[in-house]
Amino acid sequence: MVRQSRRCSRSGCAQPAAATLTYVYAESTAVVGPLATYSEPHSYDLCEFHAERLTVPRGWEVVRHEIDVEDSGPTGDDLLALADAVREAARPEPPRNPADDGRGTRRGHLRVLPDLD
């Protein structure tokens, strides 16, 4: 499998992308963070050089999230956690007992009934 790396969005720059720039126009904020997994139409990929030197219009704020240029993507633990979450979401709910009127609390196959005194 050939992995095609994305390039910096700045004109004339052929460096590999290391960060993603996104604008939040409603808050006059530019957010620079780690390279997004996928290229989005309303965000810009920047190389390390351009990400560090980004300037914004007067009155705007820049929010910078730590960028790890050595990040090789998700770890094994991340992938296992994702797989576990998918399995849990796909697990069907156990059928409800039609005789269960909702009173009392179930604990496995036992039911704790409230005191009637």
Side-chain angles (χ1 to χ4, degrees):
M1 181 170 122
V2 176
R3 185 175 179 172
Q4 184 178 14
S5 67
R6 299 187 330 237
R7 299 282 175 205
C8 183
S9 298
R10 294 288 303 258
S11 304
C13 183
Q15 294 298 311
T20 296
L21 167 64
T22 306
Y23 292 107
V24 183
Y25 293 99
E27 297 177 15
S28 300
T29 303
V31 181
V32 179
L35 185 63
T37 306
Y38 299 100
S39 180
E40 297 288 334
H42 300 290
S43 62
Y44 303 90
D45 295 336
L46 298 175
C47 65
E48 189 175 2
F49 177 85
H50 287 117
E52 290 174 359
R53 288 160 182 79
L54 175 75
T55 60
V56 294
R58 189 173 302 149
W60 279 57
E61 180 182 1
V62 178
V63 176
R64 295 181 189 274
H65 294 280
E66 186 175 332
I67 301 168
D68 183 6
V69 294
E70 300 299 319
D71 185 13
S72 61
T75 65
D77 288 343
D78 293 335
L79 296 175
L80 287 174
L82 179 60
D84 288 342
V86 168
R87 275 190 223 102
E88 184 67 28
R91 185 175 294 145
E93 287 190 29
R96 279 193 74 204
N97 182 352
D100 186 3
D101 61 4
R103 287 182 280 166
T105 304
R106 293 191 54 80
R107 302 271 193 254
H109 66 282
L110 302 175
R111 180 187 309 264
V112 177
L113 297 175
D115 278 338
L116 299 176
D117 294 335

